[in-house]
Structures are given as structure tokens and as C-alpha cells.
Amino acid sequence: MRSLKNRTAPYVFLIPWILGFVILTAIPLFMSLYFSFTNYNLLTAPKTVGFSNYIKMFTTDVHFKNALKVTFLYVFVSVPLQLLVSLILALVLNKGVPGLSMFRAAYYVPSLLGGSVAISILWRQIFGMQGLLNLILQRMGINSTISWIASPKTAVWTLVILRMWQFGSPMIIFLAAIKQVPAELVEAAEIDGATRLQRITRIVIPMISPIILFNLIMQIISAFKVFTESYIISGGGGGNGGLGGVRDSLLFYTLHIYSEGFNKMRMGYASALAWFLVLIMAIVTGVIFAAARKFVYYE
Amino acid sequence: MRKKLIAAILASAMMAGVLAGCAAPAGGTAPAADGGAEAAQPEAEASSGDKTVLRVAWWGNSTRDQLYFAINDLFMAEHPDVQIETESPGWGDYWTAQATAYASGSAADVVQFQSNQIGEYCSKGVLTPLDDYVADKTIDLDNWNMDFVSTGNYGDNLYMITLGLTAQALYVNETYLNELGMELWPADQDITWDEFADYLKQVQEKLPDDTYACMDIYTNNDLVWVWIRENSVDGTEWVDADGKFAPSAETLAGWYAYSNDMREAGTTASVEWTQEWNSKAWEEGPLVNRKVLFYFANANQAKTYQNSMDDHLEMRKVPVGNNGHHGDLLITSSFGISETSDKKDLAAEYINFFVNNQEAQKIFNMELGVPGSLTVQEMLAENGMDPSDQAATDYLNMISKEAPPFIAKAPGVWAIQNEIASAAELVAGGDMTPEDAAEYIIGIANDVIAENAE
């Protein structure tokens, strides 16, 4: 009797989480899978259309290709850069800088603010035609009058910079991991004459490689899901349609899903797009995990 | 050790996910709270159960909301047993909120719509026909401009009552134009698009760098419809007799080519310049900053522009087609009643009060454009209407006589209009020819129409 109680107790404690998961995640998940095979305009009952939504992505939707291009560029450029910056800063902060906890807190702030509406509006001000960047360039004698946000060539790079700026969260995790590296290993290497760079590349990085993998995967998934920044910066929240910047230059995949689902009221197609994103993320994560077997060192 | 660390991090990530999940519904109700104190107050009343709660939704902002609140107070003073609950998200979130509200069967009793959404919602049967309420005078349309009333029609029924009308107008900075030594043509004169383009070239020659004769038109989803109506054949402007998208490839290609020609002639700016200035608020836009002299926008915005600039602003009619046809399209903001409402009679009474009560209309003061009631128009004029509002009223009454009959846009209009604008960017950037863009739009439009017809 007692053992039954022991066995059921964990599940009782899990009930709130399970309920939350089922109602807020699992049911909507399966509903969206069903909607992806239908024409659903939100106002009338969905009508089954087989795979036509999935076929439409590759045949008639010109924005789909652009959205993929912008998103892949963003993910595969901004995430490595962001991790590099956060790793370097973690290594610097690990050296026992005076006022370390203040720096740690200060560097973490952008991570908290990065995805917010206020920062997105600030970004518009900095990179706009009469923005801070152009002002600085003009003071330096460079006659720059382009709008970095509106120009299709530069728009996505302003968001890459925004992501790099949010290095705080991975940095804190790196810092915690670096502190876990056994001091005797580093000291032994030092005695053997290893330089500081060698100690980092041969001891610290291999020892924290599981954390690098963790950060990489978490940041890649979060980068694929980026929405608020592109929504606000590309003119959402007030425009007459027109999401996604000039010539789709800021049409992130999630923005395309939103635009199809809510602006154009094609929730069936939007669901299919969402499931295709899940597939892409699964493949990317799978490839990283497969590669990790070679590069990640577990004690 | 490291595995423990990973486990700890993963556990906290999972917790964060759970917390985020718990937080989501609270965020989801946020639009309802946008109505401020007024919105919060009825909650308590609704639960007390001693008053009938009427839910009203509009797209708002903090200033506009105060007008609605004041009118609601007047209505509640006359109906002490009624409590009005309000929902007023900003324009950007409004349609997302309405689509999800209708999808979940929880839409407000009275919901504000705009011309572009009429077909979308009426065709899905989520709104109540108002013809009976008009017939028994619960909604009194005596001495209304019937051209204005017709903007609430879909099929054979009236679904919406306009709160205010507007239409595309051509704004001109007359002071600046006169400084260049040029004169504006008379207000009642029609000019064609070709004549307009030639005139702009003369203006541009006299302008300094980084100032343009006209704001680019390619992103203007209301103006493109005027162009289509000017070129429509046999009164079909949306769907032709075969159920296909009616605008011809020639009409659409002509629209793209016109915008391209203006840009190439230098009378409008680059796409990036236009995008940058388009993102600014009306009060800080290119017209009030002397960056452009000619600017297409809705007539009800006259007051905002004029009050933000020292120069004198004039309003002219949108150019007619080179065939001489007018294409003006009345754009309405209207109230409709949800089919799911169990207080339709009260909702109709509320709408009637909102649009006909003189005190209410004095408060509203043409917030969404020219009122449909001629009695209200006269009352506002007698009370000393703002000169810009007077100009907008005269303009609307003038063009409503010349415009072709109102045809409600069919469902799917948003999807198609968004495509028309985004294809325009591709054309402007040289990625697509006007002809290819036209073919592309027709293909997409026919797909959307077929989807909605299924």
C-alpha cells in the first residue's frame, strides 16, 4: 500500500504541469497538425485539402523562399557570432575582474531587453535614415544617408547585431561552466608550459564542450523562433499589411506564418508552414547532435 | 559534475517553459484591458449580474478611447440597467484579436469594422443583417446620405452602419507650390493620371535634392483600388461573371508601370526612402516636413496634417483614369452586430444612439471621417466645424456623387492587397516586370477566391 502511495505521489505532483502541457501545448500542437491539412479561415469550419498546403509552399508562395533565406542567414550568422562574443566575455570575466557581479548583471540586461518592443523601436531609431548610426558616420565625414533598416541589403544585418548584443544569457551559462573546469588540469597545463591561449583551446573549451553544445542548440532554436524584433522593426503593429520590410528583407519565417495566419486569415496554410519549421529545426538539431559525437567531450 | 550542471540548466529551462505557458493566457486577455479603467470596471458589474452587459469593440488609442467612453457614459445614463464592457486594442492587434474572438465564439456584441473586412466577415455569416432594425427604425436612417449607407451592404443585406466615411484624396502643400511659382488647378476639375505625371515633372524641376514632387503610391492599398475601379469593365471590379478575379493584367501592370515611371522620372523617391518615411506617424511624415508636395491619403486625415504644419494644405480629387472614368471608393468604419450576440436588440439601440444622438456625435466630432447622417453633418457645421473637417465633408459629398456604385470587397481582399503591395516592391526593385507582377497577382487572387468559395 505504502509503495503504491510512493509510486503515485510524483504523478500527483506532476498533475499541474501535465495539465498545463496538455491544454496549452499538446492539444494546440495536434490541432495545428490537423489544420495544416485544411483550408481554415478562422471564421468557418476547416475543410480538408490533403497535402495542398504543403505543396503550395514550394510552388506558388514566392515569400516562402525569401522567408527561408532571411531566417537561415540570420540563424547561421548571428548564433555563432553571439556565442563567440559570449564565450570571450565569459573568459574575460572569469579572470576575477573587480566588480565581477556588477559586470555580470550589466551584461545580462540586454538578454532581458533584447526581444522587447521598446528595444525594437530603439533599433529603428539607431538604424533609421536620420538615426544615430548615420549621425555618427556623418560626424566622421562619411556621407551616409541610407536607412539601414529599410535597405534590403542591410536590413537583416541590423537584426544580427541585435542578437549578438543579447549575449548575456549564454555568457552566464559559459561563466558557470568555466568555473567548473577542474583547476588542477589548468594548473598542470600551466606547469607544463602551456600558454594562456593553449590552456583555453586545449583544456577549457574541450571541458565545457557539452555546455557549448547546449548553448548552441538553445540559441539556434530561439533564433529560428525570432518574431517580436522583426515584427516591430519591419513595420508591424501599425501598418496596412506591409510586414517583412522592403522586398521581404525582414520577412522572418515566423513573421510569414503570422502574416498568413492572421493578416491573410489562412490559418491552415500558416499551420503547414509552422510544421515545416518544426521539421527544419528537428533536422538542424539532429545534424548538430550527430556532429557533437565527434566534438563534444563528456567526462 | 558537468552532467549535473546540464541537468540543472535543463530543469530550469523546462520550468521557464512551464511558467511561460502559465503566463500566456494572462497575456492573451491583455487587449480587453486596453480599454483602461472603463474595461476593468464592467468585469465586476458583469459578475454581480444585476445589469445587462453589452460588449463593444473598436480599434483605439488613448485619445480615441476617451471619446467612446464618454459616449458610452451618455448611453448608460439613458439606460441605467446597461453596463458597457469595452475592448479597444490598437489597429495592429485589433484584427488578430477579432479573428481569434470570432474563431472561439467569444466576439463582442458590437464590433467595429472597416471596408476591407466587410466581405471577409459578412461572407462567413458571423454578422447579423440589420435590415429589420432599419425597417422598424430601431436604427433610424432618415436623412442619411444613401451612398454612405450603401457602404454597409454585402449581397442583398445591410450588415453595418457607418460611423464615418473617408476616401482617398490628393493633398497638396499649396504654399510650397506657390513658392515655386506654380498654381494649383481648381478643386472641382478632373485631371487624368497622365496629366498629373506631366504636372509633377514640372514641379520636380524646381525642387532641391531630397525633396520630391509626390509620395510614391506603390504601397497605397486604397489607391490601387481607385485605379482598378477607374479601369473596371461592366462594373465588375472584384469577381467577373465567371467567378474569376476581375481586374485585367493590363490594369494591374499599368498601376505598377505608373509607379515605376514616376520613380524613374525622379518625381517620387527610392523605395527605401519611401519605406523609411512611410514608417513615421502622420504628424511627422513627409508631407508636413516639406519632403513631398503631393500626397495621397484619406480625406479624414486633413485635420491632422494641417494642424501639424504652417503651410496651407489643399485637397484635390484623385486623378481620373486616362479613359476619363472616376474610381473613387468610399472607405467606411462601421459598427456591426455579431451573430453570436444574445443582445442584438440592445446592440442595435446602441448603434442608433451612437450614430444619431447629437450629443454623442458632438463628442465623436468626425473621429473616423464624415458621418452618414446629413442631420448630424448640418449640426456639426452649425457648431463650428474645424475648417479641415469641413473641407473633408465637402470633398466626400462631392466625390460620392461621381464615384461608381459601392461594391463590397470580396473575402480574401487582405491577402490579395498585401500581395499587390509586396509585388510592387519587387517591381520597384527591378526583380519583376510590371507584366509578370500582374500575372502573378491574378494567379494568387484566383487561388484566394477559389479558397474562399470552397
Side-chain angles (χ1 to χ4, degrees):
Chain A
M1 190 62 202
R2 188 169 169 76
S3 72
L4 180 68
K5 214 172 176 181
N6 279 348
R7 267 182 284 149
T8 53
Y11 297 101
V12 173
F13 283 113
L14 274 174
I15 283 174
W17 185 85
I18 290 173
L19 278 181
F21 174 76
V22 170
I23 296 169
L24 300 173
T25 307
I27 293 177
L29 202 72
F30 287 109
M31 290 294 281
S32 83
L33 183 62
Y34 162 66
F35 289 147
S36 76
F37 296 103
T38 65
N39 262 352
Y40 179 40
N41 57 33
L42 288 167
L43 300 178
T44 49
K47 295 184 192 79
T48 315
V49 291
F51 282 91
S52 83
N53 284 330
Y54 290 91
I55 294 166
K56 194 187 292 174
M57 279 180 221
F58 299 98
T59 50
T60 54
D61 181 358
V62 290
H63 304 293
F64 172 71
K65 196 178 67 189
N66 297 340
L68 274 185
K69 211 160 75 184
V70 171
T71 309
F72 273 112
L73 175 77
Y74 176 76
V75 170
F76 293 113
V77 173
S78 73
V79 171
L81 285 175
Q82 181 200 25
L83 291 185
L84 190 68
V85 171
S86 53
L87 183 59
I88 291 171
L89 274 167
L91 287 166
V92 171
L93 289 182
N94 187 45
K95 280 207 47 139
V97 184
L100 173 66
S101 53
M102 191 203 73
F103 278 116
R104 235 179 356 211
Y107 286 147
Y108 194 71
V109 172
S111 281
L112 299 176
L113 299 177
S116 70
V117 172
I119 292 298
S120 305
I121 292 170
L122 174 72
W123 233 244
R124 277 197 83 98
Q125 300 293 334
I126 294 176
F127 293 101
M129 199 176 271
Q130 293 153 326
L132 185 67
L133 180 64
N134 278 349
L135 210 68
I136 294 170
L137 289 173
Q138 282 157 14
R139 286 282 159 86
M140 289 164 65
I142 302 163
N143 185 25
S144 168
T145 52
I146 72 159
S147 166
W148 302 85
I149 297 273
S151 166
K153 287 193 185 110
T154 54
V156 69
W157 295 99
T158 63
L159 283 183
V160 168
I161 294 170
L162 179 57
R163 182 154 202 102
M164 278 171 65
W165 182 62
Q166 300 164 48
F167 53 78
S169 161
M171 183 198 75
I172 296 283
I173 297 171
F174 278 141
L175 199 54
I178 293 168
K179 290 205 179 295
Q180 300 287 329
V181 175
E184 62 268 23
L185 288 182
V186 182
E187 277 166 22
E190 202 173 347
I191 291 164
D192 287 344
T195 62
R196 178 159 166 71
L197 185 65
Q198 282 171 327
R199 293 200 298 275
I200 289 170
T201 54
R202 303 288 169 84
I203 308 283
V204 176
I205 289 181
M207 290 302 281
I208 65 165
S209 54
I211 303 299
I212 296 178
L213 173 68
F214 169 81
N215 264 340
L216 180 68
I217 287 178
M218 295 305 273
Q219 293 302 326
I220 280 188
I221 290 173
S222 118
F224 267 119
K225 295 195 299 184
V226 67
F227 177 78
T228 311
E229 298 92 315
S230 58
Y231 178 69
I232 302 292
I233 291 175
S234 77
N240 199 354
L243 278 178
V246 176
R247 289 153 69 189
D248 292 349
S249 56
L250 286 174
L251 186 70
F252 284 80
Y253 199 92
T254 49
L255 204 56
H256 186 40
I257 295 175
Y258 174 85
S259 167
E260 288 292 333
F262 290 106
N263 279 358
K264 302 180 187 172
M265 296 177 84
R266 298 155 107 181
M267 198 48 82
Y269 183 54
S271 300
L273 284 170
W275 275 94
F276 189 72
L277 179 65
V278 171
L279 181 71
I280 293 172
M281 280 160 59
I283 292 172
V284 170
T285 315
V287 168
I288 293 172
F289 267 119
R293 289 203 195 105
K294 287 193 172 174
F295 302 109
V296 175
Y297 167 75
Y298 291 103
E299 264 183 296
Chain B
M1 191 63 206
R2 241 160 299 284
K3 282 193 176 163
K4 270 188 189 167
L5 180 67
I6 295 175
I9 293 168
L10 283 173
S12 47
M14 195 168 81
M15 281 309 294
V18 174
L19 290 174
C22 294
T29 60
D34 280 0
E38 194 80 10
Q41 181 195 343
E43 286 290 324
E45 297 289 352
S47 58
S48 71
D50 54 356
K51 287 190 178 185
T52 309
V53 173
L54 183 73
R55 290 172 58 215
V56 181
W58 66 87
W59 56 88
N61 56 47
S62 50
T63 356
R64 179 173 291 169
D65 288 350
Q66 298 309 317
L67 307 178
Y68 285 79
F69 293 157
I71 295 170
N72 291 348
D73 287 344
L74 278 183
F75 184 77
M76 286 188 283
E78 277 192 15
H79 300 78
D81 56 334
V82 175
Q83 184 67 45
I84 296 174
E85 193 177 319
T86 66
E87 297 162 25
S88 56
W91 172 261
D93 298 322
Y94 184 76
W95 297 109
T96 309
Q98 293 319 315
T100 38
Y102 277 104
S104 62
S106 60
D109 301 295
V110 177
V111 178
Q112 190 171 302
F113 289 89
Q114 206 229 16
S115 298
N116 282 341
Q117 285 75 35
I118 289 180
E120 206 82 66
Y121 283 81
C122 292
S123 67
K124 310 293 191 310
V126 298
L127 293 172
T128 310
L130 304 176
D131 306 79
D132 290 345
Y133 292 116
V134 172
D136 68 14
K137 301 227 180 265
T138 308
I139 299 175
D140 186 356
L141 299 184
D142 281 352
N143 199 26
W144 274 54
N145 179 333
M146 293 320 279
D147 291 325
F148 288 15
V149 172
S150 70
T151 59
N153 286 338
Y154 186 78
D156 298 328
N157 294 101
L158 178 73
Y159 284 93
M160 300 191 193
I161 303 295
T162 182
L163 304 178
L165 276 130
T166 188
Q168 282 286 302
L170 175 61
Y171 288 98
V172 190
N173 183 336
E174 195 184 27
T175 310
Y176 199 172
L177 192 70
N178 292 344
E179 279 173 25
L180 299 176
M182 297 192 69
E183 290 295 323
L184 192 55
W185 62 90
D188 58 352
Q189 185 186 320
D190 288 334
I191 67 163
T192 65
W193 284 102
D194 281 353
E195 287 164 351
F196 180 57
D198 291 339
Y199 187 88
L200 291 181
K201 283 178 197 158
Q202 294 174 39
V203 176
Q204 189 64 43
E205 282 170 11
K206 301 171 196 276
L207 287 173
D209 283 352
D210 203 39
T211 305
Y212 298 89
C214 188
M215 189 68 175
D216 207 335
I217 56 173
Y218 76 92
T219 55
N220 191 327
N221 279 340
D222 293 319
L223 195 61
V224 67
W225 224 257
V226 176
W227 178 281
I228 287 171
R229 280 160 67 86
E230 286 172 353
N231 292 290
S232 83
V233 182
D234 308 331
T236 56
E237 61 189 60
W238 182 260
V239 178
D240 65 16
D242 303 327
K244 297 278 184 198
F245 188 57
S248 68
E250 196 187 347
T251 299
L252 291 168
W255 165 256
Y256 291 127
Y258 189 85
S259 168
N260 262 7
D261 290 347
M262 283 168 90
R263 213 172 304 109
E264 277 161 24
T267 51
T268 62
S270 69
V271 174
E272 289 82 8
W273 190 100
T274 304
Q275 173 92 354
E276 172 81 11
W277 279 99
N278 260 344
S279 69
K280 297 189 188 294
W282 296 345
E283 300 89 333
E284 297 160 5
L287 181 66
V288 301
N289 276 306
R290 286 192 149 215
K291 286 287 178 188
V292 296
L293 279 80
F294 289 80
Y295 190 86
F296 289 97
N298 286 334
N300 64 318
Q301 296 165 13
K303 191 161 56 177
T304 312
Y305 295 127
Q306 186 62 80
N307 291 344
S308 312
M309 59 199 286
D310 297 329
D311 294 345
H312 175 67
L313 200 57
E314 272 292 322
M315 219 187 281
R316 288 294 178 267
K317 291 192 271 188
V318 172
V320 293
N322 293 326
N323 54 14
H325 292 174
H326 287 271
D328 297 290
L329 176 64
L330 297 177
I331 300 165
T332 177
S333 299
S334 319
F335 269 152
I337 301 177
S338 299
E339 189 59 45
T340 49
S341 168
D342 55 359
K343 303 169 199 89
K344 294 191 180 82
D345 294 350
L346 178 62
E349 230 178 291
Y350 172 81
I351 293 176
N352 182 59
F353 180 86
F354 201 107
V355 296
N356 283 322
N357 183 283
Q358 302 220 345
E359 285 309 308
Q361 283 298 310
K362 270 184 210 162
I363 294 170
F364 205 55
N365 195 21
M366 297 181 55
E367 174 68 12
L368 292 171
V370 179
S373 160
L374 297 172
T375 314
V376 170
Q377 283 185 19
E378 285 157 18
M379 180 273 294
L380 291 174
E382 279 167 19
N383 274 286
M385 199 187 268
D386 183 287
S388 301
D389 279 343
Q390 185 65 61
T393 306
D394 296 344
Y395 178 78
L396 259 290
N397 283 325
M398 172 175 68
I399 66 156
S400 70
K401 293 192 189 81
E402 296 172 345
F406 180 84
I407 300 178
K409 289 177 186 171
V413 60
W414 261 19
I416 296 173
Q417 287 194 166
N418 281 342
E419 292 297 344
I420 291 176
S422 67
E425 286 177 356
L426 297 175
V427 173
D431 301 338
M432 230 182 204
T433 64
E435 292 72 25
D436 289 347
E439 291 299 337
Y440 168 70
I441 295 300
I442 289 169
I444 290 275
N446 280 328
D447 284 351
V448 171
I449 289 168
E451 257 175 43
N452 277 286
E454 276 166 17

